[in-house]
Amino acid sequence: MKIVGSFFIAVCLCTQSFAQVIKHDKNLLRTIDKNFIDAAAQYKFLAKNLPPDKFPKTYFPTTGKYEFSNSGWWCSGFYPGTLLYLYQQTKDTALYNEAMRILVPLKKEQFNKRTHDLGFMMYCSFGNANMIRPSEEYKEILLNSARSLSTRFNPNVGCIKSWDGKPGEFIVIIDNMMNLKLLFWATQVTGDSSFYKIAVSHANTTMKNHFRADNSSYHVLNYDSATGAVQQKKTAQGYANESAWARGQAWGLYGYTETYRETKDKKYLEQANKIASFILSNPNLPADKIPYWDFNAPDIPNALRDASAAAVMASAFLELSDYVDKQLAKKYFKTAETILKNLSTEKYKAATGANGGFILQHGVGHMPNKTEVDVPLTYGDYYFVEAMERYKNYIIVNVN
Ligand code: GLY
């Protein structure tokens, strides 16, 4: 069962208690319905500008130039995944057909053992396709992807390798928490617990080593591949080794919420709540809840915001709100609502026909590299659309 599908079922199974506690914003529901229509128009525009077999990466509004990628780039699954979410909402078959077209060149990545990003690449795409129209072919592709991802697990470290470093190095980044869902799914459909065990080991080792006393996380850990000892804690995409890179905090929040959903082990729920507490009590989180690209960026309040981190957080907070007591639930739900409202304004949501067809503006990909800075990002769009779908489902289940 796909993320939103299983989340939706989980919500259905819950008591409908929050309906009395959390008053939702009716205007936001109307805005979201309009956003889906606008987003569908945007993605059709984007589709027209794609070279054959290329995947959208970003667009530079100042020069009007696109950047595309091949299927092996970590973001290749977001474009088909977003199209499929939008198809679910609009029933516009042009979106479904475009997703089917782009899944063909993506398929080969099921055998890619050089990346840890197979969860992003294959589950956000083929997982969504399988949720809409389950098929043996999708199942096989997803299982092969899980097998490929599993080859990167090292029992000495207890983690899946993120990046191939120098000999003896074993690099794990917090983002890797997002790839575990593929492994949980593989155990559910095959009954083979080895995938589950790898995912749990990775989540446990990351929980032990990646977090600071204040519950923020490092971006990059370098383990000794033979002993599993931590050799370095640092950043790659954040401001500094000791800073809290915003999207990293978002990946952690989402990843531990998902790991709790898949295992029902309360320690992961506690971890997600701790990350949430770091984010929500941080004096550098702006009132509109769209984080600066790094919580410790030196030029706050003039630092750039990262709309993609906000979108990931909104989606995670909506799910997390269903697993906690009423007071926290309200806090998380209202945070997600605030994020969605602000991302829906013209400050972040592009006008139809602008932004190269991407939905959101103002994401920050890799500030230290000076790449993808203040631009649209495919993952920003994907998690924005997912969060809006979650918001709608939440209201449908709890209020109607
Ligand atoms: N490394 C994936 C990201 O930019 O979040």
Side-chain angles (χ1 to χ4, degrees):
M1 183 66 69
K2 170 70 192 109
I3 305 170
V4 165
S6 56
F7 171 56
F8 186 70
I9 300 253
V11 170
C12 289
L13 293 174
C14 275
T15 59
Q16 303 201 347
S17 53
F18 299 145
Q20 292 89 47
V21 201
I22 306 174
K23 241 172 110 38
H24 72 281
D25 184 332
K26 290 206 173 64
N27 287 334
L28 180 57
L29 265 189
R30 280 190 284 274
T31 301
I32 283 175
D33 281 335
K34 181 173 180 318
N35 285 352
F36 283 133
I37 293 164
D38 293 347
Q42 282 294 82
Y43 265 54
K44 285 187 189 175
F45 177 78
L46 178 57
K48 285 203 184 94
N49 286 294
L50 277 183
D53 293 358
K54 291 287 181 192
F55 294 75
K57 208 167 157 185
T58 189
Y59 173 82
F60 299 96
T62 45
T63 58
K65 289 214 164 82
Y66 282 93
E67 216 169 85
F68 304 108
S69 79
N70 293 324
S71 57
W73 176 241
W74 76 276
C75 300
S76 53
F78 296 122
Y79 175 63
T82 305
L83 287 164
L84 289 165
Y85 274 150
L86 292 174
Y87 165 71
Q88 271 194 307
Q89 292 298 323
T90 60
K91 298 290 173 270
D92 183 337
T93 50
L95 299 168
Y96 186 81
N97 293 341
E98 172 62 2
M100 293 302 110
R101 182 192 69 78
I102 200 75
L103 286 184
V104 176
L106 183 57
K107 208 186 294 190
K108 61 180 171 296
E109 301 304 329
Q110 64 187 295
F111 302 114
N112 186 346
K113 299 187 178 75
R114 299 177 312 281
T115 178
H116 73 135
D117 285 317
L118 288 170
F120 282 127
M121 294 157 67
M122 307 308 274
Y123 203 79
C124 295
S125 53
F126 287 96
N128 277 8
N130 196 47
M131 167 184 63
I132 293 172
R133 289 190 195 157
S135 83
E136 280 307 308
E137 192 201 354
Y138 294 148
K139 193 172 141 188
E140 202 46 40
I141 290 168
L142 287 163
L143 283 175
N144 282 332
S145 305
R147 288 179 193 118
S148 297
L149 181 58
S150 299
T151 64
R152 298 181 68 81
F153 181 72
N154 176 336
N156 301 333
V157 178
C159 278
I160 298 160
K161 190 199 274 183
S162 295
W163 297 336
D164 296 333
K166 298 187 195 106
E169 286 187 345
F170 191 96
I171 308 289
V172 180
I173 63 174
I174 187 69
D175 323 28
N176 207 346
M177 284 301 300
M178 299 294 287
N179 293 308
L180 304 185
K181 170 66 199 169
L182 175 63
L183 300 177
F184 287 123
W185 176 89
T187 288
Q188 277 161 23
V189 299
T190 61
D192 175 353
S193 63
S194 62
F195 301 107
Y196 184 99
K197 284 180 185 153
I198 289 173
V200 161
S201 170
H202 185 95
N204 290 345
T205 308
T206 299
M207 202 157 82
K208 183 164 153 238
N209 296 322
H210 246 90
F211 289 88
R212 305 183 180 100
D214 68 358
N215 299 313
S216 67
S217 56
Y218 288 91
H219 184 199
V220 181
L221 257 71
N222 175 7
Y223 292 94
D224 182 314
S225 59
T227 66
V230 177
Q231 308 186 117
Q232 271 177 309
K233 298 185 177 193
K234 55 185 183 177
T235 198
Q237 285 166 260
Y239 165 64
N241 288 341
E242 290 301 326
S243 74
W245 174 50
R247 202 163 51 255
Q249 313 316 303
W251 293 144
L253 179 73
Y254 193 117
Y256 279 99
T257 302
E258 195 164 59
T259 302
Y260 171 67
R261 182 214 306 148
E262 298 300 326
T263 61
K264 292 289 168 279
D265 186 330
K266 290 267 188 222
K267 69 173 180 268
Y268 304 124
L269 179 59
E270 267 169 47
Q271 188 62 39
N273 280 324
K274 283 184 193 172
I275 301 168
S277 166
F278 170 80
I279 293 169
L280 295 178
S281 62
N282 196 295
N284 286 340
L285 181 69
D288 64 10
K289 313 287 187 219
I290 313 294
Y292 298 104
W293 70 277
D294 191 299
F295 281 92
N296 306 102
D299 49 344
I300 290 172
N302 298 318
L304 289 174
R305 308 295 190 91
D306 179 14
S308 76
V312 175
M313 286 176 188
S315 194
F317 274 126
L318 281 172
E319 176 167 7
L320 192 54
S321 72
D322 212 54
Y323 302 147
V324 293
D325 64 50
K326 287 178 185 174
Q327 208 182 342
L328 264 187
K330 187 169 178 184
K331 189 170 175 177
Y332 295 162
F333 185 84
K334 287 288 159 194
T335 300
E337 212 170 47
T338 303
I339 293 173
L340 290 180
K341 268 192 233 175
N342 285 303
L343 290 181
S344 302
T345 63
E346 61 186 19
K347 186 168 171 194
Y348 289 101
K349 190 184 143 228
T352 305
N355 207 31
F358 288 89
I359 305 164
L360 290 179
Q361 316 175 87
H362 305 307
V364 174
H366 199 318
M367 184 68 98
N369 254 3
K370 299 190 173 59
T371 51
E372 300 176 356
V373 174
D374 202 18
V375 290
L377 297 163
T378 48
Y379 39 99
D381 285 2
Y382 178 89
Y383 289 101
F384 181 48
V385 170
E386 181 183 273
M388 291 193 293
E389 182 171 309
R390 285 181 173 192
Y391 186 85
K392 255 186 96 168
N393 288 345
Y394 193 101
I395 303 302
I396 291 166
V397 171
N398 284 311
V399 178
N400 295 328

